[in-house]
Amino acid sequence: MRPMSRRDLLRTAGLLGVSGMALSACDSPLATGIFGVGPGAHELAYWNLLGGGDGDRMVSMEKAYAKAHPDISLKSVTLSWGNPYYTKVSLATLGNQPPDVAIAHLTRATILAEAGLLEPLDKTELARFGFTEENFTKTAWQKAHTNGKLYAIPLDTHPFVMYYNTDICKKAGLLDSSGKLRNLDGPTGLVDAMKAVQRVTGGYGGVVAMTAETATPWRIFSSLYWQLGGTVLADQGRKIVLDEAKAERVLGYLASLTSKGKLMPNNIDYGAATTLFASGKAGFYFQGDWEISTFLTAKTPFSMTRLPNVFGGAYACQADSHSFVLPRSASRDAEKRAVIFGFVRSMLDQSATWAGGGHIPAWVPFQKSEAYAKMSPQSDYAQVANSAHYDDDAWYSGSGSDFEYIAGSAIGAVLSGQLTPAAAVPQIVAKLTKYANTPSPL
């Protein structure tokens, strides 16, 4: 008898776990997706992790699909965001009862594909639905490949961006003749702009969340670090190659905006940071593109643009993409795949709805449309999708991952003045090294 592997243990744990779930949810869409009592040929089991405004828009798109396809019963399940979601997708797939189609961040799709949990996609088959390379954002399409094979169909790119209050920036003399923010690239551009804004607000120049929040600190740090040409992980995460000098330079710059410069608050969580910008007490707000609905609802006078190129290297901006993946299933046939791809095409054809939430549509036919050009501020930062930099590959990396928590915690501590850049860098390296030395559990 061969020893039980990590994968065997995970599969056993997964089967035990889903067995327990059956006691309370045997007739739910989640259970039918896991246990295979459905869906039939005309049913479609779809899992996603989309909440908030994204969740509302996805439900709207699902309803439009269902209305146009009354012969197909769409069984949609929304699960908790982050690691819990990807664990459930993995366990259901290892238990041989995956959903027909699922949403995955491209950073996580790579991990699932490496583990053999996704079905590789046939480009000839996809072409019949219009899913060809030229119809997708190039950067997202490339990231959808793992070891040369296509495993995902991108829905969007959601980059880290800069929001700005148009009324405040106008008073500060920062807008051009078209009402757009002037270019703030360079080592002093953003600092000088924040000082000008601060003279208008009487409060802060900008705001970024760092308390009880790890993703945001990681996103702003990594964007600037990658602009310096740095890399954090190599050899699929088995090596930590964080450049100490570059990392300390970026951390020192960010600290100068918060704990030292007082241009931004140094003890503020996600919700308070959003409120500060919405109420006009800060002129700049740094976050992913998904908060657009918040400020539209609050009637904040604002627009959005790319994060400045502070250090002058090749432009890069931290981002991820939602995508559609097919968890591996031995029973999936061509008829089922046709239903799946028809569903995905419907979602892409509804890119106008999806872009309303701020995400840059990956579907080029809409991205180049007049309708998208008229969507402002959404189309104002569309070019950022071409400079998207995804997190380095590793089994412990990607959106909502342990990697993000470790790095973001230390960076947040620097922003709040609790840790020096010189102390933060070795802390990040030491904690990541433990993961680098641990074999993938998948």
Side-chain angles (χ1 to χ4, degrees):
M1 178 183 290
R2 68 179 175 84
M4 183 171 281
S5 68
R6 289 173 179 273
R7 192 184 183 93
D8 293 333
L9 286 169
L10 186 56
R11 179 183 290 110
T12 302
L15 291 174
L16 290 172
V18 295
S19 296
M21 293 165 67
L23 297 175
S24 59
C26 60
D27 59 347
S28 70
L30 174 60
T32 58
I34 291 176
F35 294 107
V37 296
H42 298 292
E43 292 185 355
L44 185 65
Y46 166 50
W47 288 10
N48 69 74
L49 71 172
L50 303 168
D54 282 353
D56 294 341
R57 275 176 288 278
M58 179 53 68
V59 168
S60 175
M61 293 159 66
E62 291 169 7
K63 288 181 178 177
Y65 171 81
K67 184 177 182 180
H69 301 82
D71 57 321
I72 298 172
S73 178
L74 177 62
K75 306 292 187 183
S76 177
V77 174
T78 301
L79 300 166
S80 297
W81 194 90
N83 277 335
Y85 172 76
Y86 291 106
T87 299
K88 288 183 172 65
V89 171
S90 298
L91 294 179
T93 305
L94 288 169
N96 297 319
Q97 301 296 339
D100 295 314
V101 59
I103 286 284
H105 290 92
L106 283 181
T107 54
R108 292 301 194 105
T110 300
I111 301 168
L112 296 172
E114 288 275 6
L117 298 178
L118 298 184
E119 182 175 318
L121 304 177
D122 185 290
K123 293 183 179 179
T124 301
E125 185 177 28
L126 293 184
R128 296 203 299 271
F129 297 86
F131 302 152
T132 54
E133 181 175 0
E134 64 272 17
N135 280 336
F136 292 90
T137 301
K138 183 177 181 180
T139 308
W141 182 260
Q142 290 174 340
K143 183 61 180 174
H145 289 71
T146 300
N147 299 325
K149 293 183 178 179
L150 181 67
Y151 284 93
I153 302 172
L155 172 64
D156 63 40
T157 304
H158 43 276
F160 194 77
V161 296
M162 182 167 72
Y163 298 71
Y164 60 97
N165 184 303
T166 50
D167 284 357
I168 293 173
C169 287
K170 182 178 181 180
K171 292 176 182 176
L174 298 175
L175 303 187
D176 62 21
S177 58
S178 66
K180 303 297 184 183
L181 188 69
R182 289 193 282 108
N183 187 301
L184 302 182
D185 287 352
T188 61
L190 184 57
V191 172
D192 291 343
M194 283 201 190
K195 290 179 179 177
V197 162
Q198 199 171 38
R199 289 192 286 271
V200 176
T201 65
Y204 294 105
V207 61
V208 65
M210 83 282 285
T211 302
E213 165 68 2
T214 56
T216 304
W218 162 247
R219 288 169 180 145
I220 193 168
F221 166 83
S222 59
S223 294
L224 300 180
Y225 177 72
W226 286 327
Q227 288 177 13
L228 281 173
T231 301
V232 180
L233 306 177
D235 193 18
Q236 300 298 307
R238 288 183 284 270
K239 294 181 180 177
I240 310 301
V241 293
L242 186 70
D243 187 307
E244 294 184 7
K246 291 176 179 175
E248 287 190 27
R249 184 180 177 188
V250 174
L251 289 171
Y253 172 81
L254 293 174
S256 73
L257 302 178
T258 54
S259 59
K260 293 181 179 178
K262 301 298 183 185
L263 292 172
M264 299 199 295
N266 65 354
N267 183 19
I268 192 164
D269 63 19
Y270 194 113
T274 305
T275 300
L276 199 70
F277 180 76
S279 61
K281 295 179 180 176
F284 296 105
Y285 172 74
F286 303 93
Q287 190 49 267
D289 58 19
W290 48 84
E291 289 298 345
I292 186 172
S293 298
T294 300
F295 302 127
L296 288 172
T297 301
K299 300 187 184 305
T300 305
F302 80 102
S303 191
M304 300 156 69
T305 187
R306 69 179 177 91
L307 186 72
N309 188 344
V310 174
F311 297 113
Y315 188 75
C317 185
Q318 199 274 348
D320 208 335
S321 295
H322 296 112
S323 70
F324 297 95
V325 297
L326 276 60
R328 185 177 288 279
S329 171
S331 62
R332 186 177 293 128
D333 58 19
E335 181 181 7
K336 176 62 77 175
R337 286 200 300 277
V339 173
I340 293 170
F341 295 141
F343 168 76
V344 174
R345 178 57 192 264
S346 173
M347 297 296 103
L348 295 174
D349 285 341
Q350 298 182 71
S351 287
T353 300
W354 194 243
H359 302 327
I360 302 170
W363 188 234
V364 168
F366 177 71
Q367 200 181 104
K368 291 185 175 180
S369 70
E370 185 176 350
Y372 185 57
K374 290 180 179 178
M375 293 181 72
S376 181
Q378 289 92 336
S379 60
D380 295 347
Y381 52 89
Q383 76 282 358
V384 176
N386 299 317
S387 302
H389 196 303
Y390 297 87
D391 292 357
D392 297 329
D393 293 339
W395 67 263
Y396 52 89
S397 181
S399 290
S401 66
D402 293 337
F403 170 91
E404 200 172 74
Y405 176 79
I406 290 170
S409 295
I411 297 163
V414 172
L415 291 174
S416 62
Q418 299 173 25
L419 202 63
T420 65
V425 172
Q427 182 182 111
I428 294 172
V429 172
K431 291 186 176 181
L432 290 181
T433 298
K434 294 180 180 178
Y435 282 81
N437 293 335
T438 302
S440 170
L442 293 177

